[in-house]
Amino acid sequence: MIESQIKTLQDQIDGLLVDRGRIIDNLLDLRLDAADRADFVGKIDEVLRDVPGLTVVESQWWTETLDELLDMAAKVPAAK
C-alpha cells in the first residue's frame, strides 16, 4: 500500500539534510508500486523533475513533498 510506504519514508527522516540520490530512489520505488495510478505517477514524475540540490536536499522539502504525496495517495483510489 502506497500510504504505508510513504509513512515509512516519513519516519526515516532524521537530520536537516537527506541524500538526493536516496530521495530519487525512493520516488522511483513509489512510482513503480503505483504504476496503476496514473495521476499519482504523474505527480511523482513532476516531483522527480523538481528535486532540488546536487547531492543533498533539505529535510523540510522532503517532508513537505511526502505530506503532499500522502494526501494525494489517500484521495486516489487504488485500481482493482
Side-chain angles (χ1 to χ4, degrees):
M1 180 177 239
I2 299 298
E3 290 90 343
S4 63
Q5 288 177 271
I6 294 171
K7 288 177 184 179
T8 299
L9 293 173
Q10 289 173 322
D11 291 342
Q12 293 173 352
I13 297 173
D14 183 33
L16 297 175
L17 300 172
V18 180
D19 180 72
R20 186 177 190 269
R22 185 155 79 147
I23 287 175
I24 291 171
D25 287 346
N26 289 327
L27 288 169
L28 290 172
D29 288 343
L30 285 173
R31 187 184 191 285
L32 181 63
D33 292 339
D36 60 341
R37 298 167 78 168
D39 290 347
F40 192 73
V41 169
K43 178 62 180 172
I44 291 176
D45 288 346
E46 179 183 314
V47 171
L48 281 165
R49 284 190 300 269
D50 297 334
V51 177
L54 296 175
T55 58
V56 292
V57 176
E58 290 184 16
S59 296
Q60 181 178 350
W61 179 89
W62 185 223
T63 299
E64 291 169 359
T65 299
L66 289 172
D67 288 343
E68 188 176 334
L69 290 173
L70 185 60
D71 287 344
M72 185 174 190
K75 292 176 187 174
V76 177
K80 294 182 180 179

